[in-house]
Amino acid sequence: MTSTMFHIGGDLGVQRLGFGAMRLPTEPGPDRQTSLAVARRAVELGVTLIDTAHLYGGGANEELLAEALYPYADGLLITTKVGVARSGPAGEWKLDGRPEVLRDQVDQALRRLRVERLELLQLHRIDPELPLADQLGVLREMQAEGKVGRIGLSEVTVSELDQARKIIDVVSVQNRYNLLDREHEPVLTACEAAGIAFLPWRPVAPATTGATAEIAAVAAELGATHAQVALSWLLDHSPVILPIPGTARIDHLEENFAAAHLHLPPTHLDRLNHLSERA
């Protein structure tokens, strides 16, 4: 039976099927009210891992989650990401791993999320213009200061993960990955070997390839949806995978969460496992 729990860093227990908050509208109005309701419904359904980032509205997404969920339920982990800032020539978003920027974004996240410590903080992207040791060094400093509990990475290669692990204890990796997009399979394998949580972003492949016809067929045979099959496959594929599907609709949220209870028989798994080669 597929385990429903994973302990990030060996001690931070979460339900493996989480929620990505990126798609939640944050502007005032009816859409924001729906966003608040979606976040609250996620927790009601048993979600204990919610992913956000400074990039999502320049912190507006973090503020939304705090408005919806503070004071937080016991065991609820809201993880955020830093390292992208409006520091381009015209104020556009760009990778920015300068230590002072990372420190400022962490302090902002603490204030917006109304917490004294970020139990899991991820570097949104490695800034190629700066030494990796400088970027991870400041995160390690804030960990020592008690502002950060655990540190993860996002969109990294096996080589970058290896380099980072010489500087910090990496407990999570957030890379693009789904049933039809398995470019980062080597990174997943490395995470499995080290017991590192792997949070696939874009966990449900867009229905744009011929291979999706097979997913639709499997879904029809099991009385499920395309998204449920894709998420259930991820949960079955590796015990370190923690999918974080995002949506701004309660019905889609409930549909996604039901994937945790979908059983994929071996024959169906075999059919799905070959799809990335055809995509």
Side-chain angles (χ1 to χ4, degrees), residues 1-8 12-19 42-51 74-77 197-199 235 239-245 257 260-261:
M1 180 177 177
T2 301
S3 173
T4 62
M5 292 286 295
F6 184 85
H7 288 82
I8 300 174
L12 190 60
V14 295
Q15 290 291 330
R16 287 181 58 206
L17 189 55
F19 175 68
V43 175
E44 289 174 358
L45 289 170
V47 169
T48 56
L49 168 61
I50 297 179
D51 174 80
D74 289 343
L76 177 62
L77 169 65
F198 186 89
L199 284 64
L235 291 169
V240 305
I241 286 183
L242 281 61
I244 46 171
F257 191 71
H261 308 291

Side-chain angles (χ1 to χ4, degrees), residues 164-247:
R165 294 184 67 206
K166 296 175 182 177
I167 303 170
I168 60 167
D169 180 19
V170 179
V171 302
S172 68
V173 168
Q174 187 168 330
N175 278 20
R176 188 191 71 253
Y177 185 88
N178 58 57
L179 177 54
L180 301 182
D181 180 359
R182 296 169 61 179
E183 174 187 350
H184 293 296
E185 195 79 31
V187 181
L188 171 59
T189 300
C191 288
E192 286 179 341
I196 294 171
F198 186 89
L199 284 64
W201 62 269
R202 196 180 293 162
V204 179
T208 56
T209 71
T212 57
E214 183 71 357
I215 300 176
V218 169
E221 291 166 21
L222 298 177
T225 66
H226 173 122
Q228 288 171 340
V229 167
L231 293 169
S232 182
W233 178 85
L234 284 170
L235 291 169
D236 187 272
H237 185 59
S238 170
V240 305
I241 286 183
L242 281 61
I244 46 171
T247 180

Side-chain angles (χ1 to χ4, degrees), residues 230-272:
L231 293 169
S232 182
W233 178 85
L234 284 170
L235 291 169
D236 187 272
H237 185 59
S238 170
V240 305
I241 286 183
L242 281 61
I244 46 171
T247 180
R249 291 173 46 175
I250 286 181
D251 58 338
H252 283 170
L253 171 72
E254 293 173 342
E255 173 189 313
N256 289 341
F257 191 71
H261 308 291
L262 176 64
H263 172 66
L264 296 176
T267 53
H268 291 75
L269 279 172
D270 187 60
R271 288 158 61 184
L272 295 170

Side-chain angles (χ1 to χ4, degrees), residues 28-257:
D31 286 348
R32 181 183 179 88
Q33 294 307 308
T34 300
S35 294
L36 296 172
V38 168
R40 290 166 182 154
R41 182 59 177 149
V43 175
E44 289 174 358
L45 289 170
V47 169
T48 56
L49 168 61
I50 297 179
D51 174 80
T52 183
H54 179 86
L55 174 64
Y56 307 158
N61 197 268
E62 295 170 339
E63 291 179 336
L64 176 85
L65 291 174
E67 180 180 340
L69 302 173
Y70 186 86
Y72 303 115
D74 289 343
L76 177 62
L77 169 65
I78 297 180
T79 174
T80 192
K81 300 183 287 295
V82 296
V84 187
R86 285 192 178 277
S87 50
E92 70 271 19
W93 290 101
K94 67 181 291 290
L95 302 186
D96 196 335
R98 289 176 294 168
E100 62 270 24
V101 170
L102 298 180
R103 182 172 285 278
D104 179 61
Q105 290 187 357
V106 166
D107 286 340
Q108 289 184 48
L110 290 168
R111 174 177 55 80
R112 290 183 172 120
L113 289 170
R114 309 178 197 175
V115 295
E116 295 183 356
R117 181 165 107 150
L118 301 171
E119 292 300 338
L120 174 59
L121 175 74
Q122 299 182 110
L123 183 63
H124 209 147
R125 294 289 188 275
I126 293 174
D127 186 342
E129 298 180 3
L130 295 167
L132 180 61
D134 290 356
Q135 299 170 65
L136 298 182
V138 70
L139 300 186
R140 186 179 57 198
E141 288 174 9
M142 288 185 286
Q143 188 176 38
E145 294 164 9
K147 293 182 176 182
V148 173
R150 300 156 192 83
I151 302 171
L153 306 171
S154 181
E155 209 59 13
V156 292
T157 64
V158 172
S159 175
E160 289 168 338
L161 175 58
D162 287 344
Q163 293 174 50
R165 294 184 67 206
K166 296 175 182 177
I167 303 170
I168 60 167
D169 180 19
V170 179
V171 302
S172 68
V173 168
Q174 187 168 330
N175 278 20
R176 188 191 71 253
Y177 185 88
N178 58 57
L179 177 54
L180 301 182
D181 180 359
R182 296 169 61 179
E183 174 187 350
H184 293 296
E185 195 79 31
V187 181
L188 171 59
T189 300
C191 288
E192 286 179 341
I196 294 171
F198 186 89
L199 284 64
W201 62 269
R202 196 180 293 162
V204 179
T208 56
T209 71
T212 57
E214 183 71 357
I215 300 176
V218 169
E221 291 166 21
L222 298 177
T225 66
H226 173 122
Q228 288 171 340
V229 167
L231 293 169
S232 182
W233 178 85
L234 284 170
L235 291 169
D236 187 272
H237 185 59
S238 170
V240 305
I241 286 183
L242 281 61
I244 46 171
T247 180
R249 291 173 46 175
I250 286 181
D251 58 338
H252 283 170
L253 171 72
E254 293 173 342
E255 173 189 313
N256 289 341
F257 191 71

